[in-house]
Amino acid sequence: MKKERPYLDRVHTWGRISSLTTLCVMLMFPAAICLYLNVWPRFHDVFSGLIKIIPLFWTTAVIEVVSYTPVLGAGGTYLSFVTGNITNLKLPCGLNAMESAGVKAQSEEGEVVSTIAIATSAITTTLILAVGVLLFSPVLPLIKESKLLAPAFQQVLPALFGALGAGYFMKHWRISILPIVVMVIVLVFSGGIPAGTLVPIGVVVSLLGAFGMFKLGWIGSKNTDAAKE
Amino acid sequence: MDFKNSLSMYLIGGALILFIIAQSVFFLVKAWKRGRELGLSSATLRSTVTTSALFTIAPAIAILATVVSLAGALGLVLPWVRLSIIGNLSYETVAATAAMEALNHAGGMAVEVKDQTLFATIAWVMTVGSVFPLLLLPVVTKPIQKKLNTVVAKSKSDLPDILAAAAFIGLIGAFIARAIAGSGEKDIIGDGAGVLSVITLVSAVVISLLLETIRKKLNVNWLQPFVMPLSMFLAMGVAVVAFNLLPADVALLEWRG
């Protein structure tokens, strides 16, 4: 009888197939929209949108893949990147599950628990989104046209990023001050600067600032340990 | 019928969603079997599933809220698919905004996209912008896991964590700064920084910190996953209340237009 390959090797094979098929299927999505609507955007327009986000998104992708793989394990990593929402959902969910089950991230037990947690989380998210979208579809036009509720949706970005950022800003306040101050100053001089341009400025300033502070010893093991409750 | 929410769009979206669920189920079943082989009890594995499902509910609602908020401009299906596959709460907004700016869509996310070519452009930008990890993973995950694993485990440096946090803060910070000092379209109310945007931003931060303090002081850990979505919804509620209670000239004041 043929001896079965180690579990981790098999996970890598499945993960590679999963990533590449998702890549193809994902690219078929806008293509299907174009076929359905019978419109084909100009390459130049798509490119000028992409050029604003690719430097940031693709750099972040490298940082994320490198930094999450050791924590999430192989199966967890493949599945997390395929299903998305890592920082705000899959990463804390996987860590939480490994801690609850009392297994270590680097062990094979950790690998298994992390994969189960992230798969469950992905299925739950997908179902909640699908049910939510179906429930919301009849109500959405009403919400959009409601004068009373209009401000809630106009202000969704400040609400979302305020709520998402609050914890980070408190935990990493030393890192946070510089990029926000720099971006406010940039906006004071050029208020209409688009978000797509402002985001990379913010990220670069923030990274340089954080790296400088780390080198100066202002932030590092001591400070983050203290902030980790 | 609005082309963004038509039946065909739902069918295209639905097929993709099924594909993603099937993959998750596959990994779940394989990991479960391996877990049993390794001697992990069914109880432990079941509790992992329960804990993770519960943990997911609140962040998933926050993601749903993002889908709904993007739906004003993009319809439900595109944000739904983008946030179910690879997508990410904060990136998708950035990507859609970048595409709109490239085609000079006045008012950005505050205005419904009615042009089909613009819509298709946005779909391409959001998709291609996000697929890079899928090219990267098959190549680097295995070597990283084999080599870096031991290095990271041994290394005491926090630098990777710090840089990841800094990149994230830079991204969120851009939207915070826009709520404080960004200017919007002259004709569109609620688009530029002003009284309402700052009230909403400050409420979101304050409510979030208050909830977090309550959670820690009273040791109510089940509250943790709800802190972010709850703060977001409450801050949106504060915006509604402020808009309806404040005199119109104050509530609509936008210092940056």
Side-chain angles (χ1 to χ4, degrees):
Chain A
M1 207 177 95
K2 202 177 126 196
K3 196 171 171 266
E4 208 171 25
R5 288 189 305 144
Y7 176 72
L8 262 181
D9 283 351
R10 282 183 285 147
V11 169
H12 283 296
T13 309
W14 302 327
R16 284 170 176 169
I17 297 172
S18 150
S19 305
L20 294 175
T21 42
T22 308
L23 176 68
C24 299
V25 169
M26 203 54 236
L27 290 174
M28 274 153 61
F29 174 61
I33 291 181
C34 289
L35 282 174
Y36 160 59
L37 295 176
N38 197 22
V39 289
W40 292 91
R42 286 187 305 161
F43 176 78
H44 173 259
D45 292 336
V46 175
F47 183 75
S48 45
L50 280 175
I51 199 74
K52 290 184 178 173
I53 55 169
I54 280 187
L56 168 72
F57 283 18
W58 291 27
T59 320
T60 323
V62 176
I63 300 177
E64 284 185 344
V65 170
V66 172
S67 40
Y68 295 156
T69 309
V71 192
L72 293 174
T77 303
Y78 288 116
L79 210 48
S80 293
F81 280 95
V82 164
T83 55
N85 285 297
I86 305 177
T87 342
N88 55 322
L89 178 52
K90 304 288 160 41
L91 184 68
C93 184
L95 293 176
N96 186 44
M98 284 188 275
E99 201 173 304
S100 305
V103 294
K104 279 190 188 148
Q106 315 291 330
S107 65
E108 196 169 336
E109 286 81 1
E111 160 79 37
V112 163
V113 168
S114 164
T115 306
I116 293 179
I118 288 162
T120 310
S121 176
I123 296 169
T124 314
T125 313
T126 316
L127 291 180
I128 291 181
L129 287 186
V131 171
V133 162
L134 292 180
L135 289 181
F136 262 106
S137 53
V139 198
L140 189 72
L142 303 177
I143 297 178
K144 268 198 310 199
E145 271 149 42
S146 154
K147 282 232 158 62
L148 184 74
L149 290 179
F153 287 91
Q154 280 156 0
Q155 300 304 333
V156 72
L157 290 185
L160 191 151
F161 286 101
L164 195 64
Y168 265 88
F169 296 143
M170 290 310 282
K171 195 168 160 183
H172 303 282
W173 61 272
R174 287 184 179 85
I175 305 179
S176 308
I177 295 172
L178 180 72
I180 294 184
V181 169
V182 169
M183 282 187 282
V184 168
I185 293 173
V186 169
L187 284 170
V188 165
F189 286 103
S190 170
I193 187 167
T197 316
L198 192 61
V199 167
I201 299 178
V203 173
V204 169
V205 170
S206 186
L207 284 174
L208 288 177
F211 187 71
M213 284 184 229
F214 180 81
K215 283 285 165 206
L216 289 170
W218 294 3
I219 49 175
S221 46
K222 250 189 196 167
N223 291 319
T224 42
D225 279 350
K228 278 181 192 164
E229 295 176 39
Chain B
M1 176 102 194
D2 178 6
F3 71 90
K4 301 188 288 297
N5 295 317
S6 68
L7 182 63
S8 308
M9 283 294 292
Y10 274 101
L11 291 178
I12 297 173
L16 283 165
I17 303 300
L18 283 180
F19 172 73
I20 284 303
I21 292 190
Q23 283 201 26
S24 307
V25 171
F26 176 84
F27 274 95
L28 177 62
V29 171
K30 292 290 183 187
W32 187 289
K33 280 189 186 152
R34 183 62 190 157
R36 296 294 289 136
E37 283 170 19
L38 288 171
L40 292 169
S41 70
S42 291
T44 309
L45 299 180
R46 263 202 302 274
S47 116
T48 301
V49 169
T50 322
T51 318
S52 308
L54 287 177
F55 186 95
T56 303
I57 294 175
I61 291 176
I63 299 168
L64 178 63
T66 315
V67 172
V68 172
S69 65
L70 293 176
L74 300 175
L76 277 166
V77 180
L78 177 60
W80 171 41
V81 168
R82 287 304 315 111
L83 281 155
S84 295
I85 310 171
I86 328 169
N88 175 305
L89 204 101
S90 25
Y91 289 3
E92 296 314 318
T93 318
V94 180
T97 315
M100 287 173 175
E101 282 159 1
L103 265 87
N104 299 319
H105 173 63
M109 294 305 296
V111 175
E112 185 177 352
V113 173
K114 291 189 171 146
D115 180 76
Q116 297 190 345
T117 313
L118 171 63
F119 182 73
T121 310
I122 295 171
W124 275 108
V125 172
M126 288 173 94
T127 306
V128 178
S130 67
V131 294
F132 189 53
L134 298 183
L135 279 171
L136 212 56
L137 286 173
V139 187
V140 300
T141 311
K142 197 169 180 180
I144 288 180
Q145 222 206 1
K146 292 243 155 100
K147 288 175 197 149
L148 253 177
N149 239 359
T150 44
V151 181
V152 171
K154 282 179 196 158
S155 149
K156 293 275 179 246
S157 169
D158 292 337
L159 194 59
D161 286 349
I162 290 173
L163 292 182
F168 195 61
I169 287 169
L171 194 154
I172 307 176
F175 287 88
I176 305 282
R178 265 168 77 92
I180 299 171
S183 45
E185 289 291 320
K186 287 266 179 294
D187 325 335
I188 296 157
I189 298 166
D191 188 34
V195 172
L196 266 191
S197 68
V198 169
I199 287 180
T200 317
L201 175 68
V202 172
S203 314
V205 173
V206 170
I207 294 169
S208 166
L209 295 178
L210 269 179
L211 288 176
E212 193 52 33
T213 314
I214 293 173
R215 180 185 78 78
K216 277 188 196 152
K217 286 262 186 294
L218 303 180
N219 220 357
V220 270
N221 280 328
W222 58 264
L223 190 63
Q224 189 183 20
F226 297 95
V227 170
M228 191 262 152
L230 209 56
S231 321
M232 176 181 160
F233 287 126
L234 287 174
M236 285 163 78
V238 172
V240 172
V241 173
F243 176 76
N244 289 291
L245 286 187
L246 289 174
D249 50 346
V250 179
L252 293 179
L253 179 68
E254 290 176 17
W255 38 79
R256 298 309 304 273

